[in-house]
């Protein structure tokens, strides 16, 4: 009897009205593939860069396993060369560069400035398609044909000696470059013209500042890389030396043009990471961001300095000692705005009421690893020291501390921070904290030994090595396995959260940003009505003062 | 439109037209047409900044090699058809003038004049490409295609270059071909865009409150023009051109 009553009650209960969100206002595969909504495009990017991340990660796992033994008996040298090139090209051009601006930035930037959408939604969709075309093309070329030049494509090896699919790979990279360029263009216009009323420049969240600085780097650097790669393609196709010294060309010119892009590209990778951390730390320390204007200006400072230091990659390549001196000194200058940020984060943490939620764990990991990466960067900016460790594992360890320890940590932090906003669901706190810790320790075990290896003289990109280096290599490979576990875990609990996660509500972290003032997931037009901004960002201290009253 | 329209007074009809216009021309993410105009022009200016960097890289490379191999580069430059290059400069300057007139008339809402000046611009762009094509054909006949149709011995015999300087002439010609081809590609895309906007003008698309596409297009067109203004001296006008009696 009782069950009958229950059933009738259920039947009579009013249907739960699903609120209209950007996820369900239309449906079907075409509504995604032809969408102009920045949130959906952000999700499309998120899925595609994740795929690229695991492909690039898999490639290097095999290469890293190969380095367990001095002879490198797992795979032939040729395969090894192709694997680390695949890893480098995929990770740099198809993961690190687009991941935060194009995936997270696309999603949250308009929300953070109270806009309905990016300024140029069609261009936004176009840039995703360019990314996909570039990625598929490059992947096909690199897997079917393969290339072994390393991700730097140094001439004359890439223009003359190497016999693989260099031309298609480069074309793929150029296409993907235009995708980033259009994203940057879109962000600049959006930040200039789409801000909500009252949102002045110095009320912008730091993440928006860093995306703006990153966009400027995109706009000024990507075209130079495109032209450099086009010239290599012309050289390979016509066999006329633009960079080949035998025919009057100059390989150094390629390096200048290449690093004029690729050094700023490092800041493309790290600046948005710094932005994410500047969002997370005030939120989970419940304190105002210390020295807001300094953090904002230092982002622009890093972007400006990015263009003045490229030749520190060429100290041993044959530039004059005076040029080297100048570029060495300029490189030290980058430490100033970087240190400003680290000090300001530390000062924000000081006397904060810190909660160690997952995004905060990633952010703290970022600060630690970025600091180590940054300080070892000073070693490399020092002329004499650079000559000793040039092209060794020291360099590898240094830039992985910045790009993986820094950027990927920050990206994971950002993903965990905005995941409830994107999906409306919470994920498992226990598993996500575990994953943050596993990634942190796995990372240390992978890359600390490489500093030792490099300092003792093990060169990068070698398939085999003298036996005395084995201990450190085994440690590093062990670390890489732990790191792999740390990266696969989120795939599990984040996907599970979509189905089983608790409802997040509009503002699970009690954060102050505009993006938290709209439902999660946000409706199609982001806000019911355009918000009016009356306060500076990060006013967490006001809430504290209120509680004390 | 219903028959009620006839009952409306002239200025009311004007307001109705205006609201229809705003509804059709305004993208949903913008507040009003002026807002949209500012965003669109900013976007084009920023895009042109990237183009400056794109061409800047190859201009830099050209300048470096010109400094290294001045003699060979000047000998190569003297072989180019400077008369066609100069004529093409005039053609492009004229086209810049006509597109300015198109912008002017679009701001007045004079769609017919706008369309015709855009048509003239496209025609001049096409004329540029035709001249460029003739020039490429002459280059082909004169063995000026590096790596494919090039006669090293002739440069030693007639131009008195040493054999190790001849590759530098080829290097110059690579720059000539790459730069002019990329520029011609820009002109071609420009012509397509001009034709599209021209059709809009013929369909009476523009008005004093909405002329953004014409303005943005003109910015692009001027840029392509300016690049050519730089290409002319850097490629065609090096050296003394003694063989034509200067």
């Amino acid at each position: 009897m009782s069950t009958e009553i229950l059933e009738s009650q259920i039947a009579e209960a009013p249907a739960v009205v699903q609120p209209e969100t950007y996820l369900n206002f239309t449906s079907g595969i075409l509504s995604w593939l032809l969408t102009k909504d920045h949130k959906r495009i952000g999700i499309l990017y998120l899925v595609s860069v994740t795929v690229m991340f695991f492909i690039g990660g898999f490639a290097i796992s095999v290469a890293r396993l190969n380095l367990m033994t001095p002879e490198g008996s797992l795979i032939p040298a040729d395969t090894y060369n192709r694997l680390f090139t695949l890893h480098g090209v995929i990770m740099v051009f198809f993961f690190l560069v687009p991941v935060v601006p194009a995936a997270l930035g696309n999603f949250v930037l308009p929300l953070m400035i109270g806009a309905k959408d990016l300024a140029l939604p069609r261009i936004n969709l176009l840039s995703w398609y360019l990314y996909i075309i570039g990625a598929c093309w490059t992947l096909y070329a690199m897997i079917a044909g393969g290339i072994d030049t390393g991700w730097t494509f140094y001439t004359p090896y890439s223009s003359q000696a190497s016999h693989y699919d260099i031309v298609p790979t480069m074309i793929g990279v150029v296409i993907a470059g235009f995708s980033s360029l259009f994203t940057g263009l879109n962000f600049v216009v959006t930040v200039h013209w789409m801000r909500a009323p009252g949102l002045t420049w110095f009320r912008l969240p730091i993440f928006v500042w860093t995306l703006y600085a990153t966009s400027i780097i995109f706009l000024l650097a990507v075209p130079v890389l495109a032209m450099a790669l086009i010239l290599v393609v012309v050289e390979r196709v016509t066999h006329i030396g633009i960079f080949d010294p035998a025919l009057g060309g100059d390989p150094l010119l390629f390096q200048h043009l290449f690093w004029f892009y690729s050094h700023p590209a490092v800041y493309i990778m790290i600046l948005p990471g710094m932005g994410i951390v500047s969002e997370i730390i005030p939120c989970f320390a419940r304190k105002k961001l210390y020295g807001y204007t300094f953090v904002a200006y230092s982002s622009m400072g890093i972007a400006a300095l990015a263009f003045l230091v490229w030749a520190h990659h060429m100290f041993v390549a044959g530039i004059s000692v005076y040029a080297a001196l100048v570029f060495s000194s300029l490189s030290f200058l980058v430490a100033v705005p970087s240190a400003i940020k680290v000090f300001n984060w530390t000062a924000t943490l000081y006397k904060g009421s810190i909660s160690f939620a997952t995004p905060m764990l990633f952010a703290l990991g970022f600060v630690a690893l970025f600091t180590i990466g940054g300080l070892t960067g000073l070693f490399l900016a020092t002329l004499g020291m650079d000559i000793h460790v040039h092209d060794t594992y020291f360099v590898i360890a240094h830039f992985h501390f910045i790009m993986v320890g820094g950027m990927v940590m920050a990206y994971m932090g950002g993903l965990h921070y905005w995941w409830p906003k994107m999906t409306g669901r919470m994920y498992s706190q226990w598993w996500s904290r575990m994953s943050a810790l596993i990634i942190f320790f796995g990372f240390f075990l992978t890359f600390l030994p490489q500093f030792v290896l490099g300092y003792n003289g093990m060169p990068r990109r070698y398939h085999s090595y003298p036996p005395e280096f084995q201990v450190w290599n085994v440690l590093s490979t062990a670390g890489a396995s732990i790191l792999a576990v740390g990266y696969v875990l989120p795939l599990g609990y984040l996907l599970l959260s979509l189905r089983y996660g608790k409802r997040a509500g509009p503002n699970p972290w009690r954060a102050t940003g505009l993006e938290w003032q709209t439902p999660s997931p946000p409706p199609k037009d982001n806000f019911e009505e355009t918000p009016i901004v009356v306060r500076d960002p990060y006013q967490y201290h006001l809430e504290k003062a209120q509680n004390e009253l | 439109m219903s028959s009620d329209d006839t009952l409306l007074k002239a200025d009311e009809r004007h307001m109705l037209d205006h609201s229809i216009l705003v509804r059709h021309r305004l993208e949903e993410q913008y507040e009003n047409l002026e807002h949209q105009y500012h965003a669109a022009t900013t976007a084009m200016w920023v895009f042109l900044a990237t183009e400056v960097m794109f061409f800047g890289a190859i201009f830099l490379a050209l300048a470096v090699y010109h400094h290294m191999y001045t003699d060979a580069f000047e000998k190569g430059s003297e072989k180019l058809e400077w008369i066609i290059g100069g004529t093409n400069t005039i053609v492009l300057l004229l086209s810049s003038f006509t597109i300015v007139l198109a912008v002017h008339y679009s701001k007045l809402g004079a769609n017919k004049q706008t369309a015709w000046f855009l048509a003239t611009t496209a025609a001049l762009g096409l004329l540029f490409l035709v001249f460029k094509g003739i020039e490429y054909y002459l280059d082909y006949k004169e063995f000026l295609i590096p790596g494919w149709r090039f006669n090293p011995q002739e440069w030693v015999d007639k131009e008195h270059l040493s054999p190790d300087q001849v590759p530098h002439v080829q290097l110059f010609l690579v720059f000539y071909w790459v730069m002019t081809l990329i520029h011609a590609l820009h002109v071609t895309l420009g012509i397509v865009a001009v034709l599209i906007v021209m059709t809009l003008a013929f369909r009476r698309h523009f008005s004093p409150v909405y002329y953004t596409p014409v303005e943005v297009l003109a910015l692009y067109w001027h840029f392509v023009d300016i690049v050519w203004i730089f290409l002319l001296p850097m490629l065609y006008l090096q050296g003394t051109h003694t063989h034509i009696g200067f």
Side-chain angles (χ1 to χ4, degrees), chain B residues 190-211:
Chain B
I191 293 174
V192 173
V194 168
L195 290 176
I196 292 171
V197 177
M198 183 192 77
T199 351
L200 293 180
F202 271 126
R203 288 188 197 157
R204 308 173 53 79
H205 208 72
F206 304 116
S207 72
V209 291
Y210 180 73
Y211 51 86

Side-chain angles (χ1 to χ4, degrees), chain A residues 36 116-122 178 181-182 184-185 188-189 192-194 218-224 226-228 230-231 234 238-243 245-251 253 256-257 260 307 524-525 530, chain B residues 27-31 34-35 37-62 64-65 68-69 146-148 164 166-168 170-172 174-175 178-179 182:
Chain A
K36 288 187 289 170
K116 271 189 194 164
D117 203 324
L118 287 171
L120 314 162
R122 287 191 199 89
F178 279 99
L181 196 151
F182 285 133
L185 181 92
V188 167
V189 179
H192 272 275
W193 290 107
M194 310 300 277
F218 272 138
L219 293 167
L220 298 182
V222 170
V224 178
M227 187 51 90
I230 287 171
L231 289 179
V234 168
T238 63
H239 301 290
I240 294 301
I242 299 167
F243 302 119
L247 295 161
D250 186 352
L253 182 71
H256 278 295
L257 293 177
F260 185 82
F307 287 100
K524 181 187 164 284
D525 284 336
T530 310
Chain B
E27 304 262 342
E28 61 183 21
Q29 69 272 24
Y30 297 110
E31 303 273 322
E34 195 193 358
H35 185 208
Y37 167 81
H38 286 306
T41 42
T42 310
M44 183 46 86
W45 276 108
V46 174
F47 176 71
L48 294 183
T50 73
E51 289 270 44
V52 168
M53 297 306 287
F54 183 68
F55 281 101
I58 196 163
F59 275 120
L60 173 84
L62 177 66
V64 167
Y65 288 131
M68 285 163 76
Y69 314 121
W148 182 49
D164 56 328
V166 176
H168 306 157
Q170 295 215 43
L171 190 57
F172 170 77
V174 168
F175 278 108
V178 172
M179 292 168 102
I182 290 177

Side-chain angles (χ1 to χ4, degrees), chain B residues 1-21:
Chain B
M1 294 253 171
S2 67
S3 58
D4 293 350
D5 270 10
T6 50
L7 302 173
L8 293 170
K9 287 181 194 146
D11 54 336
E12 281 174 331
R13 195 178 306 142
H14 176 77
M15 280 175 72
L16 187 74
D17 283 353
H18 192 263
S19 71
I20 289 170
L21 178 90

Side-chain angles (χ1 to χ4, degrees), chain A residues 136-350:
Chain A
C136 293
W137 187 324
T138 306
L139 261 185
Y140 177 74
M142 294 188 76
I143 290 169
I147 86 167
D148 60 352
T149 58
W151 73 278
T152 51
F153 307 120
Y154 268 7
T155 56
Y157 185 59
S158 63
S159 60
Q160 301 293 323
S162 177
H163 50 281
Y164 293 118
D165 274 357
I166 289 178
V167 170
T169 306
M170 281 181 172
I171 292 173
V173 169
V174 170
I175 294 173
F178 279 99
S179 144
S180 329
L181 196 151
F182 285 133
T183 304
L185 181 92
N186 223 335
F187 283 4
V188 167
V189 179
T190 305
V191 174
H192 272 275
W193 290 107
M194 310 300 277
R195 283 173 284 131
L199 189 58
T200 58
W201 280 89
F202 286 96
R203 281 179 179 169
L204 285 178
I206 293 293
F207 186 50
V208 176
W209 270 105
T210 54
L211 285 175
Y212 183 74
T214 307
S215 302
I216 289 177
I217 303 180
F218 272 138
L219 293 167
L220 298 182
V222 170
V224 178
L225 177 80
M227 187 51 90
L229 296 185
I230 287 171
L231 289 179
V232 177
V233 170
V234 168
E235 173 159 344
R236 277 187 75 87
V237 172
T238 63
H239 301 290
I240 294 301
I242 299 167
F243 302 119
D244 179 13
L247 295 161
D250 186 352
L252 270 191
L253 182 71
F254 176 80
Q255 293 193 24
H256 278 295
L257 293 177
F258 180 83
W259 286 113
F260 185 82
Y261 165 79
S262 294
H263 190 79
V266 176
Y267 301 119
I268 292 175
M269 298 172 209
I270 199 71
L271 268 171
M274 294 169 153
I276 291 173
V277 170
S278 305
E279 298 298 317
I280 293 175
I281 286 183
C283 177
F284 293 93
R286 310 312 298 171
K287 266 188 73 190
K288 194 178 174 169
L289 180 70
Y290 183 83
Y292 168 88
T293 40
F294 282 93
V295 182
Y297 277 130
S298 67
S299 308
M300 298 308 284
I302 290 175
L305 286 169
F307 287 100
L308 302 176
V309 300
W310 76 89
H312 69 212
H313 294 265
M314 300 165 64
F315 286 158
V316 300
I319 59 172
S320 81
V321 68
Y322 300 106
L325 207 67
V326 169
F327 279 105
S328 170
S329 321
L330 287 172
S331 304
F332 283 119
L333 284 184
V334 183
V336 177
S338 311
I340 287 175
K341 284 185 190 293
V342 174
F343 291 142
N344 282 302
W345 295 324
T346 322
T348 308
L349 288 169
Y350 179 68

